[in-house]
Amino acid sequence: MQTREDLASLRWNAALAAVEIIDQTRLPHDLQRVTLDCLDDYCHAISAMLVRGAPLIGITAAYGLAHALAQDASDAGLARASERLLATRPTAVNLRWALERMAQQVDDLAPELRAAAALEQAHALREAEIASCAAIGEHGLALLQARAGEHGPLQVMTHCNAGGLATIEWGTALAPVYRAHAAGVPVHVWVSETRPRNQGTHLTAWELQQAGVPFTVVADNSCGQLMREGRVDCVIVGSDRTAANGDVCNKVGTYMKALAAADNQIPFYVALPASTVDWRCASGAEIPIEERGEDEVLAVTGRMASGALQTVSLAAAGTRAANPAFDVTPARLVTALITEHGVFAASESGMQALRARCQDFSLTPM
């Protein structure tokens, strides 16, 4: 049986002195690891979504910068590599957070010392990410245990992928689920497909299957009806960027689930490490929403009966499509934020309390 470390989305290969990632564009059909050998590889892995999920994007960028400094540790080299990595994805704030942490570590060092210090910092950020997600799991477990009843499994709904594939090992939204399952709490997960890239079907379902957690994949448009029928006990999602007022930016479709949950008096939790809070961003209105290519909407890739992967068109030739990758859920629709520091209200007082707990790691203006 494969261990959690075996399935880690990013790991350091000491023998090769290189980073290995799971190519998530090939899941669930093929589990393939890719070695990142140059800055171009790191930038491509992030922009083409071989790696995705805000925490994992940040860790990948940290290692990318460390690799770049091993080639050119000058001030100009540091600036060029940081700029290239920062441009790969606009929405996930962990990308900027990780690059700033890396820069703080090496700015005052002599060029010949920068590469080793950067690699050490990237390793530290990776381990800190694992620890943060484990803590999120513990704090979220208490919420799930409080909702677990005597009438069958606890019914949890999630959206997109906020498990180990989006972080390193535990994940954010799925960490409490994994903890509950390990603690013997009967739990079942409704996995929304998450069109257009189908991260729910391709990634979350695959993760839960590997962990032995019961789940059912459902079409995105069916989630409101499931809530209305009383078949959902709570919703847990992740976050790519959370504003200082508690507004949450996550995979497009999250807002609709939050609305449905509010209308049916179902708790709507957001699980995130503190690094995902953008303290410079006053509200969700300031968060840039990434627009991705229309081919993601107009085509789909799957495995044929022959075993070959093939992409097929879904619409008539010449059809145009819009593809916003994220949406913003207002803080008023969020029941609570589950972080490594505890559970906080998505309110002014709740955000102030969270900031007080993690001031050393926040993105306050210089």
Side-chain angles (χ1 to χ4, degrees), residues 119-193:
L119 181 59
E120 182 179 354
Q121 177 70 353
H123 289 329
L125 290 178
R126 180 183 183 275
E127 293 307 308
E129 188 62 52
I130 295 172
S132 291
C133 289
I136 288 170
E138 287 300 319
H139 293 301
L141 169 61
L143 294 176
L144 295 189
Q145 287 176 322
R147 299 200 63 81
E150 301 176 356
H151 306 292
L154 181 69
Q155 301 291 333
V156 178
M157 179 175 286
T158 191
H159 184 65
C160 196
N161 173 258
L165 289 170
T167 58
I168 301 294
E169 292 184 9
W170 289 102
T172 55
L174 288 189
V177 173
Y178 290 140
R179 292 296 194 190
H181 180 68
V185 177
V187 61
H188 169 268
V189 183
W190 295 108
V191 178
S192 58
E193 60 186 343

Side-chain angles (χ1 to χ4, degrees), residues 79-144:
R80 280 195 301 270
S82 296
E83 183 178 354
R84 286 195 59 195
L85 288 162
L86 188 60
T88 53
R89 299 281 311 267
T91 299
V93 74
N94 300 62
L95 177 61
R96 186 182 76 204
W97 177 87
L99 291 172
E100 289 186 352
R101 294 294 299 274
M102 295 289 287
Q104 290 170 5
Q105 191 73 10
V106 304
D107 269 344
D108 296 333
L109 297 179
E112 63 270 18
L113 301 177
R114 284 177 168 174
L119 181 59
E120 182 179 354
Q121 177 70 353
H123 289 329
L125 290 178
R126 180 183 183 275
E127 293 307 308
E129 188 62 52
I130 295 172
S132 291
C133 289
I136 288 170
E138 287 300 319
H139 293 301
L141 169 61
L143 294 176
L144 295 189

Side-chain angles (χ1 to χ4, degrees), residues 46-49 51-53 57 87-92 95 197 199 240-241 249-252 287-293 296 322-328:
I46 297 171
S47 62
M49 295 180 69
V51 297
R52 23 73 48 210
I57 287 172
T88 53
R89 299 281 311 267
T91 299
L95 177 61
R197 290 188 64 93
Q199 293 101 322
D240 286 86
R241 186 183 303 209
C249 183
N250 193 51
K251 182 59 59 179
V252 69
I287 298 176
I289 301 298
E290 178 182 3
E291 290 276 347
R292 295 188 60 82
E296 291 183 354
N323 187 16
F326 301 91
D327 61 24
V328 174

Side-chain angles (χ1 to χ4, degrees), residues 228-251:
R228 187 171 179 271
E229 292 174 351
R231 301 172 69 183
V232 178
D233 294 312
C234 66
V235 181
I236 309 180
V237 300
S239 173
D240 286 86
R241 186 183 303 209
T242 300
N245 70 339
D247 290 349
V248 171
C249 183
N250 193 51
K251 182 59 59 179

Side-chain angles (χ1 to χ4, degrees), residues 18 20 23 38 60 68 74 96-97 152 159 172 183 209 229 241 293 309 312 328 338 341 353 362:
E20 295 178 339
D23 180 354
C38 62
T60 304
S74 67
R96 186 182 76 204
W97 177 87
H159 184 65
T172 55
Q209 186 180 58
E229 292 174 351
R241 186 183 303 209
L309 295 180
V312 297
V328 174
I338 308 171
H341 300 292
S362 67

